[in-house]
Amino acid sequence: VIFWCNHCPYVIKNEERVIALGREFMPRDVAFYLISVNDTTKYPMDDFPSMQRRSREKSYPFPYLFDESQVSAVQFGAKTTPHVFLFDAGYRLVYRGAVDDNTDYFADVRHHYLRDALASLLAGKPDSITTPATQPIGCSIKWK
């Protein structure tokens, strides 16, 4: 589960990375869900029709959901967009935080947090996730 939106420059910088991860891992029975919870009165770029348009334009391989109530962000403890929450098959949280360690320059990424956590899960070694939590880097959730 990744808290997401249309307008945040950090989301935009991570977008191709997350799409690539979805295309790589979804065929291996990993579910991806993007959720936008932002207040669309203040941020109309994040409304549902704009989300649908963005999903089509970028060919998202995963669902892009809208939670107008913002309850999911409260329940997850989401702070930013993007903010990743990775669960194992038993719904145990095994990783939360950033996609990787360099939002600005993909070529300079040294730690692929989400990719590495997914690989550990699929190898049947969730306890080998070396970094189970990182600081998410992004725009704050736009609360009502």
Side-chain angles (χ1 to χ4, degrees):
V1 174
I2 306 175
F3 286 86
W4 203 252
C5 70
N6 285 356
H7 85 275
C8 174
Y10 295 95
V11 165
I12 293 166
K13 290 176 183 182
N14 276 284
E15 191 168 41
E16 293 302 324
R17 300 172 202 194
V18 170
I19 290 169
L21 288 170
R23 289 191 177 131
E24 178 182 349
F25 286 98
M26 288 176 67
R28 298 170 68 188
D29 292 327
V30 174
F32 279 70
Y33 298 96
L34 305 183
I35 303 173
S36 180
V37 298
N38 282 347
D39 179 355
T40 59
T41 303
K42 295 176 189 164
Y43 294 86
M45 276 184 65
D46 293 338
D47 69 7
F48 191 62
S50 298
M51 290 170 53
Q52 291 175 310
R53 196 167 32 258
R54 183 73 176 195
S55 178
R56 279 191 309 274
E57 288 170 0
K58 298 303 267 181
S59 300
Y60 282 2
F62 30 66
Y64 186 17
L65 310 169
F66 181 55
D67 176 8
E68 185 175 10
S69 74
Q70 301 183 314
V71 169
S72 61
V74 172
Q75 291 175 335
F76 276 79
K79 305 289 184 212
T80 64
T81 57
H83 195 163
V84 174
F85 294 84
L86 178 62
F87 297 87
D88 66 13
Y91 303 105
R92 180 177 65 111
L93 182 64
V94 295
Y95 173 73
R96 71 177 190 287
V99 173
D100 56 44
D101 70 345
N102 196 323
T103 299
D104 292 322
Y105 303 103
F106 184 69
D108 293 337
V109 171
R110 292 189 341 232
H111 301 285
H112 297 269
Y113 302 124
L114 180 55
R115 173 185 299 286
D116 292 348
L118 285 163
S120 292
L121 276 182
L122 290 173
K125 300 176 181 178
D127 294 332
S128 71
I129 297 171
T130 57
T131 309
T134 61
Q135 183 67 37
I137 300 168
C139 300
S140 63
I141 299 286
K142 308 308 181 200
W143 301 103
K144 293 180 182 180

